Amino acid sequence: MNFIKIKDKEFKISIPSREIETTVYRIATEINQDYENKQLLFISILNGSFMFTADLLKLITVDCEISFVKVSSYSKLKTTTKVKSLIGLNEDIDGKDVIIIEDIVDTGNTLENIYNTIKIFNPNSIKIASLLLKPDVYKKNVPIDYVGYKIPIDFVVGYGMDYDGKGRNLKDIFTIV
Ligand code: IMP
């Protein structure tokens, strides 16, 4: 299945699942080396990172905890200002070594917001693991410490990522044509 159609758009396979497996293994190995004897807390950003998180965590051998959070955005009464908040952040973060797990970093607006929110809870350290990064768009100062693939600005779908709610279940990653 090299081409798929989701709603009005066509997508072509760009990263097959067996390649993703190798990359996730590489990231897990780096994390296992970097976090021996640390108090590691993964914070996975739903919905998009659920598949990456599941595959990554199966390969993590160091002692760790995992928390799943969601970013909500809502408009303040009459203004159009978007206020974002993190839902589901229950774990004690104080003094922990946190790794935020993202599916994809595009502008980095989402990530910067999450990063600043988590920082308030006084973790010992914060690092970011993102399966995909669009470096031509990302201009923020927050470093992305573990990156699976640097990709062009084109829209992608699959392996947890959606187009208008569809395609999250695909095991490969597809790029819009
Ligand atoms: P950012 O705030 O612009 O970095 O966007 C981050 C979020 O937007 C990601 O966590 C995804 O949920 C979504 N996103 C950004 N680019 C894509 C894409 O190419 N495909 C699917 N979702 C995307």
Side-chain angles (χ1 to χ4, degrees):
M1 197 170 61
N2 285 337
F3 286 88
I4 52 159
K5 190 161 188 204
I6 301 177
K7 298 194 171 174
D8 55 328
K9 300 274 188 283
E10 273 214 60
F11 295 83
K12 184 181 190 294
I13 194 163
S14 50
I15 315 176
S17 62
R18 58 181 184 282
E19 266 186 44
I20 300 172
E21 261 176 50
T22 310
T23 298
V24 174
Y25 181 81
R26 193 242 309 151
I27 295 173
T29 306
E30 285 174 35
I31 293 174
N32 286 331
Q33 283 164 359
D34 294 348
Y35 284 84
E36 242 180 294
N37 305 317
K38 299 263 172 77
Q39 287 201 73
L40 178 53
L41 169 65
F42 288 98
I43 298 180
S44 169
I45 314 302
L46 296 174
N47 295 323
S49 67
F50 79 94
M51 221 179 256
F52 177 39
T53 302
D55 286 346
L56 181 70
L57 267 287
K58 282 184 265 182
L59 300 169
I60 294 298
T61 52
V62 292
D63 193 20
C64 67
E65 294 169 280
I66 171 85
S67 183
F68 293 89
V69 300
K70 212 169 170 162
V71 180
S72 84
S73 67
Y74 57 92
S75 300
K76 270 182 148 181
L77 287 176
K78 64 187 175 62
T79 70
T80 53
T81 318
K82 295 274 185 191
V83 178
K84 303 242 168 108
S85 65
L86 270 188
I87 303 172
L89 201 58
N90 304 319
E91 259 64 28
D92 190 7
I93 291 174
D94 197 340
K96 301 259 172 79
D97 293 291
V98 170
I99 297 182
I100 299 169
I101 307 179
E102 264 285 24
D103 51 348
I104 180 165
V105 176
D106 190 310
T107 63
N109 289 334
T110 311
L111 180 68
E112 189 180 54
N113 187 272
I114 293 165
Y115 186 92
N116 289 334
T117 305
I118 289 171
K119 228 168 127 183
I120 297 168
F121 296 96
N122 200 30
N124 186 47
S125 65
I126 313 177
K127 283 194 180 183
I128 319 284
S130 185
L131 183 66
L132 304 180
L133 171 67
K134 294 181 181 173
D136 296 336
V137 192
Y138 184 67
K139 300 290 173 230
K140 304 283 182 192
N141 291 323
V142 178
I144 317 296
D145 306 278
Y146 305 99
V147 177
Y149 299 91
K150 291 180 179 169
I151 61 163
I153 58 174
D154 311 310
F155 194 83
V156 295
V157 77
Y159 198 70
M161 291 166 285
D162 74 309
Y163 168 55
D164 204 11
K166 304 275 185 186
R168 292 194 195 277
N169 56 306
L170 298 164
K171 65 180 171 37
D172 310 295
I173 293 172
F174 293 79
T175 301
I176 200 159
V177 288

PDB file of all heavy atoms in Angstrom, residues 102-111 134 154-157 161-162, ligand 1:
ATOM      1  N   GLU A 102       6.896  13.707  21.956  1.00  0.00           N
ATOM      2  CA  GLU A 102       6.037  14.310  20.919  1.00  0.00           C
ATOM      3  C   GLU A 102       6.087  13.455  19.659  1.00  0.00           C
ATOM      4  O   GLU A 102       7.093  12.788  19.383  1.00  0.00           O
ATOM      5  CB  GLU A 102       6.557  15.710  20.578  1.00  0.00           C
ATOM      6  CG  GLU A 102       5.855  16.834  21.314  1.00  0.00           C
ATOM      7  CD  GLU A 102       4.462  17.150  20.778  1.00  0.00           C
ATOM      8  OE1 GLU A 102       3.818  16.275  20.167  1.00  0.00           O
ATOM      9  OE2 GLU A 102       4.012  18.287  20.989  1.00  0.00           O
ATOM     10  N   ASP A 103       5.014  13.490  18.884  1.00  0.00           N
ATOM     11  CA  ASP A 103       5.023  12.826  17.585  1.00  0.00           C
ATOM     12  C   ASP A 103       5.778  13.658  16.557  1.00  0.00           C
ATOM     13  O   ASP A 103       6.642  13.176  15.843  1.00  0.00           O
ATOM     14  CB  ASP A 103       3.580  12.550  17.099  1.00  0.00           C
ATOM     15  CG  ASP A 103       2.697  13.808  17.158  1.00  0.00           C
ATOM     16  OD1 ASP A 103       3.109  14.816  17.772  1.00  0.00           O
ATOM     17  OD2 ASP A 103       1.592  13.765  16.594  1.00  0.00           O
ATOM     18  N   ILE A 104       5.442  14.953  16.516  1.00  0.00           N
ATOM     19  CA  ILE A 104       6.026  15.822  15.500  1.00  0.00           C
ATOM     20  C   ILE A 104       6.110  17.249  16.030  1.00  0.00           C
ATOM     21  O   ILE A 104       5.200  17.712  16.707  1.00  0.00           O
ATOM     22  CB  ILE A 104       5.201  15.752  14.184  1.00  0.00           C
ATOM     23  CG1 ILE A 104       5.802  16.644  13.100  1.00  0.00           C
ATOM     24  CG2 ILE A 104       3.734  16.088  14.401  1.00  0.00           C
ATOM     25  CD1 ILE A 104       5.270  16.335  11.703  1.00  0.00           C
ATOM     26  N   VAL A 105       7.238  17.889  15.751  1.00  0.00           N
ATOM     27  CA  VAL A 105       7.377  19.304  16.093  1.00  0.00           C
ATOM     28  C   VAL A 105       7.428  20.083  14.795  1.00  0.00           C
ATOM     29  O   VAL A 105       8.284  19.850  13.946  1.00  0.00           O
ATOM     30  CB  VAL A 105       8.636  19.572  16.947  1.00  0.00           C
ATOM     31  CG1 VAL A 105       8.788  21.066  17.183  1.00  0.00           C
ATOM     32  CG2 VAL A 105       8.550  18.833  18.276  1.00  0.00           C
ATOM     33  N   ASP A 106       6.472  20.994  14.671  1.00  0.00           N
ATOM     34  CA  ASP A 106       6.319  21.795  13.458  1.00  0.00           C
ATOM     35  C   ASP A 106       6.772  23.225  13.804  1.00  0.00           C
ATOM     36  O   ASP A 106       7.969  23.513  13.810  1.00  0.00           O
ATOM     37  CB  ASP A 106       4.834  21.692  13.051  1.00  0.00           C
ATOM     38  CG  ASP A 106       4.539  22.268  11.686  1.00  0.00           C
ATOM     39  OD1 ASP A 106       4.951  23.389  11.426  1.00  0.00           O
ATOM     40  OD2 ASP A 106       3.864  21.592  10.878  1.00  0.00           O
ATOM     41  N   THR A 107       5.847  24.122  14.145  1.00  0.00           N
ATOM     42  CA  THR A 107       6.248  25.472  14.568  1.00  0.00           C
ATOM     43  C   THR A 107       6.881  25.441  15.955  1.00  0.00           C
ATOM     44  O   THR A 107       7.645  26.333  16.319  1.00  0.00           O
ATOM     45  CB  THR A 107       5.029  26.406  14.652  1.00  0.00           C
ATOM     46  OG1 THR A 107       4.145  25.910  15.657  1.00  0.00           O
ATOM     47  CG2 THR A 107       4.304  26.496  13.321  1.00  0.00           C
ATOM     48  N   GLY A 108       6.531  24.429  16.749  1.00  0.00           N
ATOM     49  CA  GLY A 108       7.035  24.339  18.114  1.00  0.00           C
ATOM     50  C   GLY A 108       6.175  25.110  19.115  1.00  0.00           C
ATOM     51  O   GLY A 108       6.495  25.142  20.298  1.00  0.00           O
ATOM     52  N   ASN A 109       5.088  25.706  18.654  1.00  0.00           N
ATOM     53  CA  ASN A 109       4.212  26.455  19.571  1.00  0.00           C
ATOM     54  C   ASN A 109       3.675  25.552  20.678  1.00  0.00           C
ATOM     55  O   ASN A 109       3.688  25.907  21.851  1.00  0.00           O
ATOM     56  CB  ASN A 109       3.028  27.077  18.810  1.00  0.00           C
ATOM     57  CG  ASN A 109       3.478  28.226  17.931  1.00  0.00           C
ATOM     58  OD1 ASN A 109       4.492  28.870  18.207  1.00  0.00           O
ATOM     59  ND2 ASN A 109       2.758  28.477  16.857  1.00  0.00           N
ATOM     60  N   THR A 110       3.211  24.376  20.282  1.00  0.00           N
ATOM     61  CA  THR A 110       2.655  23.419  21.240  1.00  0.00           C
ATOM     62  C   THR A 110       3.725  23.027  22.257  1.00  0.00           C
ATOM     63  O   THR A 110       3.517  23.069  23.469  1.00  0.00           O
ATOM     64  CB  THR A 110       2.184  22.142  20.501  1.00  0.00           C
ATOM     65  OG1 THR A 110       1.388  22.524  19.392  1.00  0.00           O
ATOM     66  CG2 THR A 110       1.399  21.224  21.412  1.00  0.00           C
ATOM     67  N   LEU A 111       4.869  22.668  21.736  1.00  0.00           N
ATOM     68  CA  LEU A 111       5.957  22.189  22.587  1.00  0.00           C
ATOM     69  C   LEU A 111       6.437  23.264  23.558  1.00  0.00           C
ATOM     70  O   LEU A 111       6.650  22.988  24.746  1.00  0.00           O
ATOM     71  CB  LEU A 111       7.115  21.738  21.697  1.00  0.00           C
ATOM     72  CG  LEU A 111       8.308  21.225  22.468  1.00  0.00           C
ATOM     73  CD1 LEU A 111       7.965  19.918  23.150  1.00  0.00           C
ATOM     74  CD2 LEU A 111       9.493  21.044  21.550  1.00  0.00           C
ATOM     75  N   LYS A 134      10.311  19.283  11.833  1.00  0.00           N
ATOM     76  CA  LYS A 134      10.374  20.059  10.589  1.00  0.00           C
ATOM     77  C   LYS A 134      11.308  21.246  10.818  1.00  0.00           C
ATOM     78  O   LYS A 134      10.864  22.321  11.245  1.00  0.00           O
ATOM     79  CB  LYS A 134       8.972  20.543  10.184  1.00  0.00           C
ATOM     80  CG  LYS A 134       8.017  19.412   9.817  1.00  0.00           C
ATOM     81  CD  LYS A 134       6.655  19.956   9.406  1.00  0.00           C
ATOM     82  CE  LYS A 134       5.682  18.836   9.065  1.00  0.00           C
ATOM     83  NZ  LYS A 134       4.313  19.306   8.810  1.00  0.00           N
ATOM     84  N   ASP A 154       6.240  19.375   4.366  1.00  0.00           N
ATOM     85  CA  ASP A 154       5.003  18.736   3.895  1.00  0.00           C
ATOM     86  C   ASP A 154       4.239  18.022   5.014  1.00  0.00           C
ATOM     87  O   ASP A 154       4.839  17.465   5.923  1.00  0.00           O
ATOM     88  CB  ASP A 154       5.334  17.703   2.807  1.00  0.00           C
ATOM     89  CG  ASP A 154       6.235  18.288   1.753  1.00  0.00           C
ATOM     90  OD1 ASP A 154       5.905  19.380   1.256  1.00  0.00           O
ATOM     91  OD2 ASP A 154       7.276  17.679   1.463  1.00  0.00           O
ATOM     92  N   PHE A 155       2.942  18.011   4.876  1.00  0.00           N
ATOM     93  CA  PHE A 155       2.063  17.396   5.870  1.00  0.00           C
ATOM     94  C   PHE A 155       2.191  15.870   5.849  1.00  0.00           C
ATOM     95  O   PHE A 155       2.220  15.259   4.785  1.00  0.00           O
ATOM     96  CB  PHE A 155       0.610  17.799   5.598  1.00  0.00           C
ATOM     97  CG  PHE A 155      -0.299  17.499   6.734  1.00  0.00           C
ATOM     98  CD1 PHE A 155      -0.411  18.369   7.810  1.00  0.00           C
ATOM     99  CD2 PHE A 155      -1.042  16.325   6.744  1.00  0.00           C
ATOM    100  CE1 PHE A 155      -1.256  18.076   8.875  1.00  0.00           C
ATOM    101  CE2 PHE A 155      -1.884  16.022   7.803  1.00  0.00           C
ATOM    102  CZ  PHE A 155      -1.988  16.898   8.873  1.00  0.00           C
ATOM    103  N   VAL A 156       2.273  15.262   7.029  1.00  0.00           N
ATOM    104  CA  VAL A 156       2.387  13.804   7.126  1.00  0.00           C
ATOM    105  C   VAL A 156       1.238  13.217   7.945  1.00  0.00           C
ATOM    106  O   VAL A 156       0.589  13.924   8.720  1.00  0.00           O
ATOM    107  CB  VAL A 156       3.727  13.365   7.755  1.00  0.00           C
ATOM    108  CG1 VAL A 156       4.910  13.752   6.875  1.00  0.00           C
ATOM    109  CG2 VAL A 156       3.883  13.937   9.152  1.00  0.00           C
ATOM    110  N   VAL A 157       1.041  11.924   7.763  1.00  0.00           N
ATOM    111  CA  VAL A 157      -0.038  11.236   8.470  1.00  0.00           C
ATOM    112  C   VAL A 157       0.403   9.803   8.776  1.00  0.00           C
ATOM    113  O   VAL A 157       1.293   9.276   8.118  1.00  0.00           O
ATOM    114  CB  VAL A 157      -1.327  11.288   7.601  1.00  0.00           C
ATOM    115  CG1 VAL A 157      -1.291  10.295   6.472  1.00  0.00           C
ATOM    116  CG2 VAL A 157      -2.587  11.104   8.411  1.00  0.00           C
ATOM    117  N   MET A 161      -0.269  10.035  13.861  1.00  0.00           N
ATOM    118  CA  MET A 161      -0.596  11.388  13.379  1.00  0.00           C
ATOM    119  C   MET A 161      -1.797  11.348  12.430  1.00  0.00           C
ATOM    120  O   MET A 161      -1.966  10.408  11.671  1.00  0.00           O
ATOM    121  CB  MET A 161       0.616  11.998  12.679  1.00  0.00           C
ATOM    122  CG  MET A 161       1.737  12.309  13.651  1.00  0.00           C
ATOM    123  SD  MET A 161       3.293  12.643  12.836  1.00  0.00           S
ATOM    124  CE  MET A 161       3.801  11.000  12.357  1.00  0.00           C
ATOM    125  N   ASP A 162      -2.597  12.403  12.488  1.00  0.00           N
ATOM    126  CA  ASP A 162      -3.862  12.377  11.759  1.00  0.00           C
ATOM    127  C   ASP A 162      -3.981  13.471  10.715  1.00  0.00           C
ATOM    128  O   ASP A 162      -3.293  14.485  10.776  1.00  0.00           O
ATOM    129  CB  ASP A 162      -5.027  12.539  12.732  1.00  0.00           C
ATOM    130  CG  ASP A 162      -5.146  13.968  13.248  1.00  0.00           C
ATOM    131  OD1 ASP A 162      -4.129  14.513  13.727  1.00  0.00           O
ATOM    132  OD2 ASP A 162      -6.240  14.549  13.148  1.00  0.00           O
TER     133      ASP A 162
HETATM  134  P1  IMP B   1       3.282  22.805  16.284  1.00  0.00           P
HETATM  135  O1  IMP B   1       2.696  23.449  17.501  1.00  0.00           O
HETATM  136  O2  IMP B   1       3.131  23.657  15.047  1.00  0.00           O
HETATM  137  O3  IMP B   1       4.712  22.369  16.484  1.00  0.00           O
HETATM  138  O4  IMP B   1       2.400  21.526  15.950  1.00  0.00           O
HETATM  139  C1  IMP B   1       2.451  20.418  16.767  1.00  0.00           C
HETATM  140  C2  IMP B   1       1.275  19.510  16.607  1.00  0.00           C
HETATM  141  O5  IMP B   1       0.553  19.735  15.388  1.00  0.00           O
HETATM  142  C3  IMP B   1       1.767  18.078  16.554  1.00  0.00           C
HETATM  143  O6  IMP B   1       1.862  17.522  17.841  1.00  0.00           O
HETATM  144  C4  IMP B   1       0.721  17.426  15.675  1.00  0.00           C
HETATM  145  O7  IMP B   1      -0.360  17.017  16.469  1.00  0.00           O
HETATM  146  C5  IMP B   1       0.285  18.529  14.744  1.00  0.00           C
HETATM  147  N1  IMP B   1       1.026  18.483  13.461  1.00  0.00           N
HETATM  148  C6  IMP B   1       1.983  19.324  13.026  1.00  0.00           C
HETATM  149  N2  IMP B   1       2.415  18.974  11.801  1.00  0.00           N
HETATM  150  C7  IMP B   1       1.704  17.875  11.446  1.00  0.00           C
HETATM  151  C8  IMP B   1       1.703  17.012  10.277  1.00  0.00           C
HETATM  152  O8  IMP B   1       2.455  17.180   9.288  1.00  0.00           O
HETATM  153  N3  IMP B   1       0.836  15.972  10.326  1.00  0.00           N
HETATM  154  C9  IMP B   1      -0.009  15.723  11.365  1.00  0.00           C
HETATM  155  N4  IMP B   1      -0.027  16.493  12.455  1.00  0.00           N
HETATM  156  C10 IMP B   1       0.821  17.566  12.504  1.00  0.00           C
END
